[in-house]
Amino acid sequence: MNKNEEEHMLNLQHDPKPSANMLISHNNKSLMKNELLSCKEFVNKKNFQNNECGLILLKWICKVTSLKNINVKHGVLALFIVSLFTIFYYTHYVDNGVFVGLIHRDTRPTPLVPTCRNIEEKVLSYQTINHKSEARLRIDPKVLVFVENTYSRLGKDIAELLVYNRIKYKIEVAGKSLPILTNLDKGRYGVVVFENIDKYLHMDKWNRELLDKYCREYSVGIVAFVNSNEDTLVAAQLKNFPLYIHTNLRLKDATLNKNSPVLRLTRAGDIAWGPLPGDDWTIFQHNHSTYETIEWAQSNALHIPFNTINNGNSQIQHPLTTVIKDSGKFDGIQRIFFGSSLKFWLHRLLLLDSLSYLSNGQLSLSLNRMILVDVDDIFVGEKGTRLKIDDIKALITTQKRISEIIPGFKFNLGFSGKYYHRGTSEENLGDDYLLENLKEFNWFSHMWNHQQPHLYDNLTILENEMLQNYAFAREHKIPTNSYYSVSPHHSGVYPAHEMLYKAWKKIWNIKVTSTEEYPHLRPARLRRGFKHRNIMVLPRQTCGLFTHTMYIDRYPGGRDKLDESIQGGELFQTIVYNPINIFMTHMSNYGSDRLALYTFESVIKFLRCWTHLKLVSEAPLQLAHTYFRLHPEESDPIWGNPCDDPRHLKIWSKSKECEALPKFLVIGPQKTGTTALYTFLSIHPNIDSNIISPDTFEEIQFFNGNNYYRGLDWYMEFFPIPTNSTKKYMFEKSATYFDGEFVPKRAHALLPHAKIISLLISPAKRAYSWYQHIKSHGDVTANNYTFYQVITSSESSHKALKDLRSRCLFPGKYAQHLEHWLSFYTPQHMYIIDGEQLKLNPIDVMNDLQRALKIQPILDYSKQIRYDVKKGFFCQISSEKRNKCLGKSKGRQYPPMDDKSLKYLQRYYMSHNTALVKLLKKLGSRPIPQWLKYDLSMFS
């Protein structure tokens, strides 16, 4: 063999996918030599044995290319075979289209069975793993994360991991001053994480000493990652540490130190075989007893001086340290260093364990994981795609194997009775066999005809549909007491369709459901639960299989992509991060190639291999109670705007109209002139407000009270769709919104683009006006106490007096409440009106407001309102000589406030008014009101 032939064959050996053309074009003599790879060996090595047709083609190629004398006929034949092989390869590995249907093979994958070390004797070790310290800890369970910049990839990955696991954190850009680390005698953070170890090693002396002192005093640990660098370092010492690094390496075959005390969630099970992601790994060497390896790997290069030694004529490769723990023996601070980012799935688990270990258990996650697998649409499917008897038997067999790992595990089958016996004769037998074995499974209801509930606008018809499915269940002895249902395509659950909730309660007594859509489908880490109409709604997850995922060769990205999700990828991490897992699958995933059976059995075995998680299975009702016991803060829903999400818009009732939602809110506070503003706005022909509420006059008070729990449908009933073609600027006025604790968050979720209008007068004057208002309405407390007694009452006073004092004083802390609104809305969305100017010069105020709201056409308010001498304020013009003014309760004259109360209030609000001046200057859109200058001047 000449030199060129030898190089060509070496290339063939190392090319992971040598093409057929390369095989044919190579000199046939070289294939006959035993010292190099033969064609037959190539065929066997490439594992084509499972593909009979592919094996035959390759053998023909081998036979043709091994002929000693290739003539024209042989060349044409070889070309034909290669072309046929190319088409076959394309349809088998690449194409997902028409060819797949023509050349379908039996490709059912066998569940992965990882070879885990010491798993049997360690299977219950989760009971003994505990990082919690008996010492009195003086730290908050919160993580301080230093990132290089706000856009860094690793920084985002760290933040997303913390969000997914509901771990509190604060992000700081490294290089700036340290944030405040303590609160009185308690540390604000339990662990400090550096995205880039260089930012920690090269901190300025002052900040470094301050951080180290904090870590020692409060027993706070540090996690740091070594980032990739263009310069390759060999045996470089980390600044001031007896630790050395070698950077920019390619590694493979990771293993964990089973004796490391850091491992809690993570189990040192198998070897993570194969190349590790990236070519920028860092390995560590040390010469101090404070260091202990957590993770090793092997070199994926030909030679690396750190881990190879000569042994006679051969080299022995030693494992390389990629994650290392500093026990604190060197300088009193515990640290964990990562030699790569979170691209490697094991590092995500190790980071969670590092947070748990370094915080002495303050940041430990529960090791219990609850799993429910829903099988939607068990009878729904086209002929030829439905389950047969063998598929049902495989379902039962796999369920038994899974139940050996997850005691009591059963698949949860959802049925739409209308589609029973709608398949081929073989598939109809499958339906019957399923019902013969119905006790093997759990069951829940779909809709009778699989119709989306949001399409129903008649409650009676919707209830009748459910009754048909209920009757089907009773006829076939399917259990009807699961208290659980899933809506087709998640319709009606969120955005909530009230008819669905009412019908569910009446027909099925539903107490729990699930959806992927709350608050949005993506990102999955933000899915949450909520309660509505006494029905608990749980977040639903996907395992990566959808209705069309029936064959392994049609899986997007191929089998490698599915296996990646199972072996440390998205599906694996979903279970790791979620204490409660409800997975959505479909009937079609359990026939054909039975991908769901493969997927769940494989991921469950992989979890047992690599984690100490305790997997359990419970009925939906028990899952729901557990979920809201873990996350009670999620009980209250947050109604988002369906018009801002294309997926939500598709499953929102067609009787709803996006234009009906308010374009701006008048938020108060009370007794600042909001009713006058409401009246002036309503004069404009193109501005319209909500229908008047019979309970609260013109105010709906939706975002800050129990009305919020009535749902979005209830709210929108106050905003009827305009009957004419004129575009209306809809608005709502509720003066109690201004200082409502939950109002800004709720309002922004539903109306993120709305303008927010507030009116401000002297807070002292507002407090006195409220007292007189409530007194005139016969409030017992106001009539029994003077204003001064009310505002100076103490915390030891009786509840009614304290409540009245709060309603007088609390709304006047204007800056505090406006800052709360500005944490959700931008300054451009906020519009602040001087309430005194609205009273004295409403025409100019209204003209400015129209321009700010971009309302067309501009209405000339000089022709719409005028001053009424009798009332003492501006009223709507009804005729040349008559005005239409507000009721008797508006403009009422009260006795002047006593000086003692005035001075007390001006002193009380001084700091708040000072903060308001700073805020208004920051906003820069409105002049400082005269009343504000006057109140501050009293103590200047």
Side-chain angles (χ1 to χ4, degrees):
M1 179 182 296
N2 60 37
K3 185 176 182 181
N4 290 335
E5 289 175 330
E6 187 173 350
E7 289 179 354
H8 189 71
M9 281 306 300
L10 286 173
N11 288 335
L12 269 178
Q13 273 188 289
H14 295 293
D15 187 348
K17 290 185 178 179
S19 69
N21 289 333
M22 290 176 62
L23 287 172
I24 293 174
S25 62
H26 184 66
N27 190 305
N28 59 0
K29 293 181 180 179
S30 63
L31 284 172
M32 303 299 294
K33 295 187 178 293
N34 294 326
E35 65 267 28
L36 293 177
L37 184 66
S38 72
C39 187
K40 181 178 180 182
E41 289 171 333
F42 168 73
V43 171
N44 292 331
K45 186 176 181 180
K46 296 304 290 181
N47 293 322
F48 279 97
Q49 293 93 331
N50 293 333
N51 188 327
E52 185 178 351
C53 189
L55 182 61
I56 293 172
L57 285 171
L58 278 175
K59 287 181 176 179
W60 269 99
I61 293 170
C62 295
K63 183 175 181 180
V64 171
T65 53
S66 63
L67 295 175
K68 292 183 178 180
N69 299 308
I70 299 179
N71 54 29
V72 176
K73 290 183 179 179
H74 291 146
V76 172
L77 179 60
L79 182 60
F80 172 75
I81 294 173
V82 170
S83 300
L84 188 59
F85 174 74
T86 303
I87 293 173
F88 173 83
Y89 179 86
Y90 178 78
T91 58
H92 186 90
Y93 293 100
V94 181
D95 184 50
N96 290 322
V98 64
F99 285 113
V100 173
L102 296 175
I103 314 176
H104 178 66
R105 300 151 305 278
D106 183 8
T107 56
R108 288 173 186 161
T110 303
L112 302 169
V113 183
T115 55
C116 295
R117 300 167 295 170
N118 304 321
I119 191 163
E120 294 305 323
E121 57 267 35
K122 293 183 66 177
V123 72
L124 296 178
S125 61
Y126 65 87
Q127 296 176 338
T128 60
I129 299 169
N130 192 349
H131 287 154
K132 291 187 177 180
S133 170
E134 295 182 0
R136 178 178 173 268
L137 299 175
R138 295 183 296 150
I139 54 174
D140 285 330
K142 190 174 182 179
V143 181
L144 176 60
V145 183
F146 286 99
V147 297
E148 291 194 80
N149 57 67
T150 54
Y151 305 102
S152 58
R153 180 65 262 171
L154 178 54
K156 287 184 177 179
D157 287 344
I158 294 171
E160 289 173 1
L161 183 68
L162 297 177
V163 168
Y164 217 143
N165 290 277
R166 292 176 168 85
I167 297 174
K168 295 179 180 178
Y169 69 97
K170 179 180 177 61
I171 294 284
E172 288 285 333
V173 176
K176 298 182 179 179
S177 299
L178 289 176
I180 298 174
L181 298 175
T182 59
N183 181 21
L184 299 177
D185 192 34
K186 191 172 185 180
R188 289 175 176 263
Y189 308 100
V191 178
V192 180
V193 177
F194 281 86
E195 175 196 17
N196 189 340
I197 195 173
D198 289 341
K199 299 296 182 180
Y200 171 61
L201 298 175
H202 298 98
M203 291 177 72
D204 64 86
K205 184 178 179 183
W206 172 265
N207 284 327
R208 176 62 183 275
E209 289 179 351
L210 187 63
L211 180 63
D212 286 354
K213 180 183 178 182
Y214 170 75
C215 291
R216 292 190 190 97
E217 184 173 347
Y218 292 91
S219 299
V220 171
I222 293 174
V223 175
F225 293 82
V226 181
N227 279 14
S228 59
N229 196 303
E230 292 182 1
D231 299 326
T232 299
L233 303 177
V234 179
Q237 184 175 1
L238 291 184
K239 185 179 180 181
N240 300 325
F241 288 96
L243 189 62
Y244 304 86
I245 61 173
H246 187 162
T247 65
N248 292 340
L249 300 174
R250 288 195 301 257
L251 302 180
K252 64 179 181 180
D253 303 344
T255 55
L256 298 177
N257 176 9
K258 68 178 181 179
N259 296 316
S260 172
V262 175
L263 302 187
R264 177 179 175 274
L265 166 67
T266 317
R267 184 199 297 275
D270 203 349
I271 297 174
W273 296 103
L276 303 185
D279 56 1
D280 53 358
W281 281 72
T282 295
I283 59 175
F284 303 94
Q285 268 195 330
H286 62 86
N287 58 8
H288 195 286
S289 61
T290 191
Y291 296 108
E292 178 186 86
T293 297
I294 299 175
E295 178 189 76
W296 294 286
Q298 298 289 342
S299 169
N300 199 22
L302 294 177
H303 177 70
I304 180 168
F306 265 34
N307 78 318
T308 54
I309 59 173
N310 290 321
N311 183 19
N313 296 326
S314 62
Q315 287 186 334
I316 300 175
Q317 203 176 62
H318 288 290
L320 307 170
T321 298
T322 52
V323 180
I324 195 167
K325 176 177 77 74
D326 180 348
S327 301
K329 297 177 184 177
F330 182 66
D331 62 357
I333 301 173
Q334 293 196 91
R335 304 175 183 86
I336 294 177
F337 296 137
F338 284 75
S340 186
S341 66
L342 297 180
K343 292 179 182 177
F344 183 36
W345 63 270
L346 259 181
H347 284 189
R348 294 175 177 268
L349 272 62
L350 291 178
L351 177 56
L352 294 174
D353 277 346
S354 299
L355 298 178
S356 173
Y357 177 80
L358 294 174
S359 67
N360 295 291
Q362 288 281 79
L363 293 166
S364 292
L365 301 176
S366 168
L367 296 179
N368 293 323
R369 295 294 181 272
M370 306 179 85
I371 296 179
L372 178 71
V373 179
D374 287 344
V375 185
D376 292 352
D377 316 331
I378 196 63
F379 297 126
V380 181
E382 298 293 330
K383 288 184 178 181
T385 66
R386 297 157 64 104
L387 302 186
K388 302 173 184 176
I389 291 178
D390 284 347
D391 298 319
I392 309 300
K393 289 180 178 178
L395 188 66
I396 295 171
T397 302
T398 302
Q399 179 175 273
K400 288 180 180 177
R401 287 200 298 266
I402 293 177
S403 65
E404 293 174 1
I405 303 173
I406 308 177
F409 175 85
K410 287 186 176 182
F411 287 104
N412 198 34
L413 309 187
F415 61 95
S416 295
K418 180 179 179 179
Y419 297 93
Y420 174 71
H421 270 196
R422 293 290 185 93
T424 64
S425 57
E426 235 185 328
E427 291 167 342
N428 290 343
L429 290 174
D431 288 354
D432 293 335
Y433 189 76
L434 190 64
L435 292 179
E436 289 172 17
N437 292 274
L438 63 85
K439 291 184 179 180
E440 296 285 344
F441 310 102
N442 294 324
W443 296 80
F444 66 93
S445 66
H446 275 316
M447 297 289 289
W448 163 255
N449 63 354
H450 209 253
Q451 177 84 323
Q452 294 174 294
H454 79 278
L455 299 176
Y456 291 85
D457 57 8
N458 185 292
L459 180 59
T460 302
I461 296 176
L462 180 58
E463 289 175 350
N464 287 336
E465 289 285 347
M466 290 188 182
L467 283 170
Q468 289 186 74
N469 217 33
Y470 188 85
F472 172 83
R474 296 299 296 270
E475 178 186 352
H476 294 279
K477 296 181 172 53
I478 297 174
T480 59
N481 60 347
S482 71
Y483 305 109
Y484 178 69
S485 184
V486 173
S487 177
H489 307 286
H490 307 275
S491 160
V493 179
Y494 186 84
H497 188 50
E498 296 302 320
M499 289 183 188
L500 172 63
Y501 284 81
K502 291 176 181 177
W504 261 348
K505 294 296 290 185
K506 182 177 179 180
I507 306 303
W508 287 95
N509 192 22
I510 297 302
K511 297 180 179 180
V512 58
T513 184
S514 60
T515 182
E516 295 177 297
E517 298 297 338
Y518 178 78
H520 296 285
L521 175 68
R522 298 291 181 189
R525 66 179 178 277
L526 297 183
R527 291 179 195 161
R528 297 293 184 260
F530 69 96
K531 294 179 182 178
H532 185 51
R533 303 289 185 185
N534 292 320
I535 291 179
M536 296 175 282
V537 182
L538 299 182
R540 215 176 190 207
Q541 309 298 334
T542 178
C543 62
L545 304 175
F546 303 94
T547 52
H548 61 273
T549 316
M550 301 166 65
Y551 301 106
I552 191 68
D553 52 15
R554 295 188 190 181
Y555 189 85
R559 178 170 177 173
D560 288 348
K561 192 68 177 178
L562 178 60
D563 287 347
E564 179 185 319
S565 179
I566 294 168
Q567 301 177 63
E570 183 178 3
L571 175 57
F572 172 84
Q573 291 175 37
T574 295
I575 300 176
V576 169
Y577 303 153
N578 288 292
I580 311 292
N581 293 273
I582 299 179
F583 285 105
M584 174 185 68
T585 59
H586 297 86
M587 178 270 292
S588 57
N589 304 145
Y590 295 83
S592 304
D593 286 353
R594 301 173 187 163
L595 292 188
L597 300 181
Y598 167 78
T599 298
F600 284 108
E601 187 172 2
S602 296
V603 76
I604 288 167
K605 289 179 177 178
F606 200 82
L607 281 160
R608 186 175 64 162
C609 179
W610 283 103
T611 75
H612 288 112
L613 295 177
K614 179 185 178 183
L615 305 178
V616 298
S617 183
E618 292 284 0
L621 187 58
Q622 282 66 47
L623 289 181
H625 288 312
T626 301
Y627 183 91
F628 287 106
R629 187 170 62 250
L630 291 173
H631 309 298
E633 73 284 357
E634 293 183 16
S635 294
D636 288 352
I638 297 294
W639 306 124
N641 192 337
C643 304
D644 291 339
D645 188 319
R647 286 179 61 94
H648 288 173
L649 198 54
K650 288 180 180 178
I651 55 175
W652 197 31
S653 173
K654 297 196 181 300
S655 63
K656 305 299 187 301
E657 175 59 53
C658 294
E659 291 300 320
L661 289 168
K663 296 292 190 297
F664 61 95
L665 298 176
V666 178
I667 64 172
Q670 292 171 301
K671 307 310 293 180
T672 59
T674 56
T675 302
L677 178 61
Y678 171 87
T679 303
F680 296 154
L681 286 167
S682 299
I683 294 172
H684 198 296
N686 286 352
I687 298 177
D688 203 358
S689 183
N690 52 275
I691 296 172
I692 292 176
S693 169
D695 300 325
T696 53
F697 189 45
E698 76 270 6
E699 296 187 349
I700 306 177
Q701 297 183 10
F702 174 67
F703 293 107
N704 63 337
N706 289 330
N707 287 339
Y708 190 73
Y709 304 116
R710 298 186 179 187
L712 182 55
D713 283 4
W714 180 89
Y715 181 59
M716 293 195 70
E717 288 176 0
F718 289 92
F719 299 94
I721 300 172
T723 55
N724 56 35
S725 59
T726 305
K727 179 181 178 181
K728 291 282 189 177
Y729 294 84
M730 303 297 295
F731 80 97
E732 182 209 347
K733 187 272 286 189
S734 289
T736 53
Y737 286 171
F738 181 77
D739 55 302
E741 180 183 359
F742 304 110
V743 176
K745 180 179 180 179
R746 291 171 174 177
H748 184 263
L750 182 60
L751 308 171
H753 311 296
K755 284 277 189 178
I756 307 300
I757 301 171
S758 61
L759 295 89
L760 306 180
I761 64 172
S762 167
K765 184 177 178 180
R766 195 219 69 83
Y768 183 66
S769 180
W770 175 254
Y771 169 81
Q772 291 292 350
H773 169 78
I774 204 74
K775 185 177 181 180
S776 68
H777 282 73
D779 183 82
V780 175
T781 306
N783 279 293
N784 287 337
Y785 292 88
T786 67
F787 181 58
Y788 185 76
Q789 288 174 323
V790 170
I791 61 177
T792 58
S793 60
S794 66
E795 289 300 314
S796 61
S797 303
H798 62 83
K799 185 177 185 301
L801 184 57
K802 287 191 296 183
D803 289 346
L804 179 56
R805 179 180 188 268
S806 177
R807 288 313 305 159
C808 286
L809 300 181
F810 185 66
K813 300 175 180 180
Y814 295 150
Q816 174 182 324
H817 302 309
L818 288 171
E819 288 282 9
H820 188 32
W821 279 93
L822 286 166
S823 63
F824 292 93
Y825 287 93
T826 68
Q828 291 72 32
H829 286 92
M830 302 292 295
Y831 190 84
I832 300 171
I833 294 175
D834 182 348
E836 297 292 348
Q837 285 298 308
L838 179 67
K839 182 178 180 180
L840 298 173
N841 188 11
I843 294 173
D844 287 347
V845 171
M846 295 306 298
N847 288 337
D848 288 345
L849 180 58
Q850 288 180 89
R851 285 188 285 270
L853 297 176
K854 299 180 181 179
I855 292 174
Q856 294 295 330
I858 297 293
L859 181 67
D860 185 358
Y861 271 89
S862 65
K863 298 178 181 180
Q864 304 297 325
I865 58 176
R866 64 187 171 200
Y867 186 76
D868 189 287
V869 178
K870 289 183 179 181
K871 279 289 190 178
F873 51 80
F874 281 77
C875 298
Q876 182 180 357
I877 300 171
S878 59
S879 67
E880 185 177 346
K881 294 183 179 181
R882 297 182 63 119
N883 297 328
K884 182 181 179 182
C885 295
L886 297 174
K888 293 181 180 180
S889 64
K890 302 299 180 181
R892 183 186 290 116
Q893 295 298 315
Y894 302 126
M897 190 191 322
D898 62 282
D899 288 342
K900 187 167 59 171
S901 296
L902 178 60
K903 289 180 180 179
Y904 175 85
L905 289 175
Q906 287 174 331
R907 186 179 295 107
Y908 178 87
Y909 284 119
M910 184 175 65
S911 62
H912 298 287
N913 285 341
T914 301
L916 179 60
V917 170
K918 293 180 179 178
L919 178 61
L920 292 175
K921 287 182 178 179
K922 180 181 174 182
L923 296 176
S925 57
R926 312 299 297 167
I928 305 300
Q930 287 299 319
W931 59 260
L932 182 54
K933 294 178 181 178
Y934 173 78
D935 280 359
L936 287 172
S937 69
M938 298 301 293
F939 296 94
S940 61

